[in-house]
Amino acid sequence: MPNGRDNDLERKFPKLNSGSYRLKSPKDKKYNCFAFVANDNQHIWQYTGPGRLGGYFWPDEVEGDSLEDVMRVYGLLGFRACDNDELEPDIVKIAIYVDEDNTPTHAARQTRRGTWTSKLGWRGKDIEHSTLDLLAGNESDEYGTVARFMRRRRYDWEDTDQ
Amino acid sequence: MQSTIKNSRRKGIRPPELVLAMEPANQYRVPAEWERHYSPSFERFGIALEKTNWTAIDLAEQTHSAHSALRASGSFWEFVHPSPAPLQANAGVVQEFRVLAEKWISETEHTSSIKKACMHPAYQRIIGMGRNAIPLLLRELQDNPDHWFWALHAITGEDPGQDEDTFDGAVRAWLRWGREKGFI
């Protein structure tokens, strides 16, 4: 994997120091990781309560942002829970990270060659990372642990730049 | 003059009847029965606050300007700004806001959950600044757009971006609201 390094990023995610990753975009505030794994770069997917604060997207069908709620959101897009992150032909998998309270903190999408891609926060960059572990942990800005995997059939147009 | 107001900050009785009259914007009204404590001079008003041991910080932070005038209007005295509140006149509030905003931005850079980011102590303290923070938040939204919608909504109870589901759409809606209300 080509490896444009980012010192600031490596300070915030120390495991990137020893891993393989590449930057895929400049910083962008228009979308977050939960949107990104669903191929949406125009919205910030965020549950803001029953009243739905303007500026965010969250499907009407789901009231809440627990791990189960987030899985329900991706379920609306055809994803189903699975138990591993192994690369399978014509299948796209996503991984959901949680913190110690089991609250979703991050999501990543598997590429066609088995690496992972994700958007760091809602202000950060898109990166491709060789493993999920590179963003896992409890140091600095790390996202906790991967709690769930989901899968669905990969669209032809998905991740064609890999 | 500002220092006079600042010096009047002490534990005391916060004027409970202070009414923030938002229509028209930038007018602040106090009951006429306080008349004996006031004069048509804002400076003397500050001194009066000292004498009465009231906490003037609300008025100082809300009115900002040494050029504010006090005038009788019906049964109220009004503090009337000649123009939208000049933020630079209240450097303390601006400085506090800047420190908190930069801390929040720095420490939530990679947070994916806006909800979690908005629970950050610095963000909560900005919300705690109340209406004083509104023009600062809107100015920040204008110059360096970020997720200030939650704070603005928490302070004002309004959501002009309610029909917007994009970041840019909500920024535009809040700035339009701010202009209409005279905050920016």
Side-chain angles (χ1 to χ4, degrees):
Chain A
M1 192 186 303
N3 218 346
R5 307 205 74 92
D6 182 320
N7 292 335
D8 182 51
L9 209 55
E10 291 178 18
R11 271 195 298 278
K12 304 285 179 59
F13 297 94
K15 295 185 185 70
L16 290 177
N17 273 307
S18 54
S20 178
Y21 75 96
R22 69 169 172 132
L23 305 174
K24 292 183 66 184
S25 79
K27 291 183 177 183
D28 194 323
K29 294 175 182 170
K30 294 186 178 67
Y31 59 98
N32 62 351
C33 64
F34 299 113
F36 177 82
V37 297
N39 298 298
D40 179 356
N41 289 6
Q42 298 300 317
H43 298 90
I44 291 162
W45 290 25
Q46 174 68 56
Y47 177 68
T48 56
R52 297 290 198 274
L53 187 62
Y56 306 98
F57 169 80
W58 198 253
D60 293 338
E61 295 89 336
V62 180
E63 284 293 342
D65 53 4
S66 67
L67 177 58
E68 290 70 28
D69 293 323
V70 170
M71 292 181 71
R72 218 166 283 138
V73 168
Y74 291 124
L76 295 171
L77 301 174
F79 284 95
R80 297 291 174 262
C82 63
D83 59 7
N84 66 71
D85 64 348
E86 288 169 17
L87 181 64
E88 298 178 45
D90 302 323
I91 296 294
V92 59
K93 293 185 178 179
I94 60 174
I96 303 169
Y97 294 70
V98 297
D99 62 15
E100 61 275 12
D101 299 324
N102 216 36
T103 301
T105 55
H106 189 59
R109 186 178 71 233
Q110 195 174 39
T111 70
R112 289 176 184 270
R113 58 168 172 265
T115 59
W116 295 83
T117 184
S118 59
K119 168 80 163 30
L120 302 176
W122 76 83
R123 297 194 197 94
K125 303 169 180 176
D126 302 348
I127 68 166
E128 182 180 351
H129 38 112
S130 56
T131 68
L132 292 168
D133 287 344
L134 294 183
L135 302 181
N138 296 305
E139 276 188 67
S140 193
D141 288 4
E142 291 175 337
Y143 291 124
T145 57
V146 175
R148 293 284 190 281
F149 298 107
M150 299 184 81
R151 53 172 275 162
R152 68 154 164 71
R153 183 159 294 280
R154 187 186 292 280
Y155 300 123
D156 291 342
W157 49 264
E158 271 183 308
D159 295 321
T160 52
D161 66 326
Q162 307 301 322
Chain B
M1 198 285 295
Q2 198 65 40
S3 63
T4 302
I5 295 296
K6 285 289 179 191
N7 289 340
S8 71
R9 186 176 198 173
R10 65 181 65 170
K11 283 188 177 179
I13 302 165
R14 181 183 293 262
E17 300 88 347
L18 177 66
V19 177
L20 280 178
M22 297 309 297
E23 297 295 342
N26 297 319
Q27 288 193 1
Y28 306 94
R29 311 197 304 174
V30 292
E33 57 266 32
W34 293 5
E35 184 176 346
R36 66 186 183 279
H37 298 298
Y38 306 146
S39 78
S41 154
F42 188 64
E43 187 164 4
R44 287 178 62 190
F45 169 72
I47 295 167
L49 285 170
E50 288 237 84
K51 287 179 177 173
T52 56
N53 200 30
W54 285 337
T55 301
I57 198 67
D58 270 358
L59 291 175
E61 290 177 351
Q62 297 282 2
T63 55
H64 303 290
S65 172
H67 304 295
S68 295
L70 186 67
R71 74 180 184 203
S73 173
S75 59
F76 287 90
W77 287 94
E78 293 181 343
F79 294 86
V80 182
H81 292 290
S83 59
L87 299 176
Q88 69 278 11
N90 196 339
V93 174
V94 175
Q95 175 64 15
E96 182 185 9
F97 175 83
R98 281 255 50 85
V99 168
L100 292 170
E102 282 164 22
K103 183 176 175 62
W104 178 70
I105 289 168
S106 161
E107 295 182 6
T108 61
E109 184 180 3
H110 296 114
T111 305
S112 298
S113 165
I114 313 295
K115 197 167 149 186
K116 187 173 179 180
C118 293
M119 294 309 291
H120 188 283
Y123 197 90
Q124 289 296 307
R125 281 185 62 192
I126 287 173
I127 291 174
M129 291 169 74
R131 303 191 73 85
N132 292 332
I134 296 173
L136 300 168
L137 286 165
L138 291 168
R139 189 69 56 84
E140 185 73 7
L141 203 56
Q142 186 172 258
D143 297 342
N144 182 30
D146 214 308
H147 289 269
W148 299 113
F149 318 137
W150 216 299
L152 284 163
H153 174 64
I155 295 168
T156 65
E158 303 220 27
D159 184 12
Q162 192 165 35
D163 296 330
E164 305 288 343
D165 64 1
T166 65
F167 177 78
D168 287 345
V171 169
R172 281 193 298 271
W174 273 106
L175 292 178
R176 192 163 51 241
W177 175 88
R179 287 187 199 101
E180 286 169 5
K181 297 289 183 184
F183 284 113
I184 52 176

